[in-house]
Amino acid sequence: MTTRAADRVDEWESRPFTDGYEQLRTLADRSFSGAVTVDRATLYILNGTAIDIIGGSIEDFADTTGTVREAPTPALPLLAVMQERGDEVRAKYYSEETALSEADRKLSEGGFTGYVELSENVLSGDYYVLYQAGKSMSVAFLGESEQLVSDDEAFERADEEVGIYKVYPVSIDPIEIPEPEEPDP
């Protein structure tokens, strides 16, 4: 089983999006993590940085309305983007032969950007470790209810789990939020 983070965005706390680029800049200033959806376009934001747009372009957010959804943990918008963009498996390991903590150390030291997914042959849930230039965040979806666990607890549970994990390289190119247009006098 693989839990798709993008499929869970509708469960995040939501509020209206009404002010186009101006509201995007406000979200960035507040170090917001989540998603902004306008029609079919979804802009993912991690700690105030726009990291990707799925189904559209930045121009779709200029002067329109939609929905702002705040992620329960900053790892989720990054996971959604990485799952969407990362389809090439760089490596595959069995946790009994190569511990996740060993791979984590190497990926962090190497400045890796991408993610590790531990879900194959695992009954307790789906585990993810996300890397951006070697810095990591962890998130897990546990049990039938897919209970969300994040940070150190998610990593520790994953490191104790037995199963197969895959390493996916994914490049992230931040998106510049344009200045709002000045109204005509």
Side-chain angles (χ1 to χ4, degrees):
M1 179 173 89
T2 297
T3 303
R4 303 286 303 170
D7 295 341
R8 299 175 63 105
V9 171
D10 290 342
E11 299 169 13
W12 301 352
E13 186 179 317
S14 66
R15 61 185 181 272
F17 174 76
T18 57
D19 295 327
Y21 293 151
E22 187 173 325
Q23 189 170 359
L24 290 180
R25 289 190 161 279
T26 299
L27 292 171
D29 291 343
R30 293 184 181 155
S31 296
F32 172 82
S33 291
V36 179
T37 305
V38 172
D39 296 322
R40 293 187 176 158
T42 302
L43 169 64
Y44 289 96
I45 303 172
L46 171 64
N47 297 328
T49 300
I51 56 172
D52 203 354
I53 298 171
I54 308 296
S57 67
I58 193 67
E59 290 78 22
D60 295 328
F61 296 84
D63 291 315
T64 189
T65 60
T67 306
V68 175
R69 298 188 188 280
E70 188 162 357
T73 174
L76 291 179
L78 185 58
L79 178 60
V81 168
M82 288 188 169
Q83 285 178 322
E84 181 69 26
R85 301 292 185 211
D87 54 3
E88 172 196 331
V89 177
R90 174 186 284 176
K92 189 174 180 178
Y93 300 98
Y94 179 52
S95 63
E96 290 287 282
E97 294 172 4
T98 305
L100 181 59
S101 55
E102 181 182 331
D104 175 66
R105 183 179 46 76
K106 290 179 181 177
L107 293 170
S108 292
E109 288 173 359
F112 179 69
T113 298
Y115 72 102
V116 171
E117 175 185 330
L118 172 61
S119 61
E120 193 173 327
N121 295 342
V122 177
L123 299 177
S124 65
D126 297 335
Y127 301 86
Y128 302 91
V129 184
L130 315 163
Y131 299 87
Q132 208 170 5
K135 294 181 182 176
S136 68
M137 293 187 279
S138 299
V139 66
F141 302 95
L142 304 178
E144 291 291 320
S145 66
E146 295 187 336
Q147 174 194 355
L148 178 67
V149 177
S150 60
D151 304 320
D152 291 342
E153 182 182 358
F155 184 82
E156 289 165 11
R157 286 178 179 240
D159 196 32
E160 294 170 359
E161 195 58 58
V162 175
I164 296 170
Y165 62 92
K166 298 174 185 172
V167 179
Y168 296 86
V170 182
S171 63
I172 299 293
D173 298 316
I175 298 166
E176 188 71 32
I177 298 171
E179 292 287 338
E181 288 188 24
E182 295 295 323
D184 292 330

